[in-house]
Amino acid sequence: KALIAEDALRENIAAKSAAHSCFGSIVTLTKAKQWTNSRIVLLGVTPLSCKLYHLLSRETDTVFLSDPDPTKYESSKIPPRAFLPWNKARAAENNWDIIVFCSPACPALDEETISSIRCKAVISLSDDFLPIEQEKRYRTLMEVEKKGIFEVADGMSDLGEIAKVFSLSEGSTVSFNDEFELGCQVMQKKLHLHGIITSDDVTAK
């Protein structure tokens, strides 16, 4: 932190940068899958998820936030209509397009969690929520595949934050657009691995 300017810390530039790369990842996924006006829920109220909410609301009017601590709603600058109770947000009847795990308050992405949700995709922003034990991890991924859920659960979507912190410490410049493009590229690689796209020409505009 000593290498980063105080004003950057006050403005939480790292969280904003992470949100832009996450935004790039999600937009690239929805365009590749041809999902329109996607239903998205962000689990966990953090500076990153609040900024991501504002970015995603440009693309869809059905994006929501939820957190097990209801007092976090009061300190965020998010419209009250965007909040869902924790239990309701995770209920199977919602049938989300994308569930985004945004904070350590989220449950582990294990077999039990996967079997209890209905969505087309699950993404973790900063943490790997899959089980650490390899056998459990394998079974969880098999359950994900069986349910036809696209997963990006390795916590790689927030690379914009790493790029911004590095650039600040080095005295170089990384723009929000650069971070957006970084998120797009991360998702493109994941889409390649899943065989959903066959080239790197998916462009998120």
Side-chain angles (χ1 to χ4, degrees), residues 25 156-157 159 181-190:
S25 290
M156 292 295 288
S157 294
L159 285 178
E181 292 298 333
L182 181 60
C184 294
Q185 291 170 18
V186 169
M187 183 58 72
Q188 285 171 3
K189 298 303 181 185
K190 191 72 174 181

Side-chain angles (χ1 to χ4, degrees), residues 95-114:
N95 199 18
W96 300 106
D97 289 309
I98 305 173
I99 297 178
V100 187
F101 283 53
C102 305
S103 83
C106 296
L109 270 172
D110 53 20
E111 289 178 275
E112 182 179 358
T113 299
I114 294 298

